[in-house]
Amino acid sequence: MQIRRSKQGGCLEQPTGTHPRAGVSTLDYVLVLGVVLPLVAFAIPAGKRIIQLTYEMVCTLVAWPMM
């Protein structure tokens, strides 16, 4: 973090009650939702298909000696 200085050499102070990173957590929250929601939207249908294919593969491996 850089400290901003005035031309007189003194530090510029933030207005009372504010923080230099005020509002950044909201941006982080929106960015996380923008990444997580599409991943979940893809993973749920893909996960169902993967489970179905795994079940069919196990059934085939168990049943092939009896065919």
Side-chain angles (χ1 to χ4, degrees):
M1 181 173 91
Q2 295 180 351
I3 297 173
R4 296 174 59 192
R5 298 190 184 274
S6 67
K7 291 184 180 183
Q8 291 84 16
C11 289
L12 292 176
E13 294 184 14
Q14 296 286 333
T16 58
T18 62
H19 191 273
R21 288 185 46 92
V24 176
S25 63
T26 303
L27 178 63
D28 291 341
Y29 184 74
V30 169
L31 291 174
V32 165
L33 286 180
V35 171
V36 171
L37 287 179
L39 284 175
V40 169
F42 169 76
I44 289 177
K48 289 180 181 179
R49 181 71 176 146
I50 290 170
I51 291 170
Q52 179 184 7
L53 291 173
T54 304
Y55 174 77
E56 291 175 7
M57 182 180 68
V58 169
C59 289
T60 303
L61 288 172
V62 169
W64 77 266
M66 298 170 226
M67 293 180 144

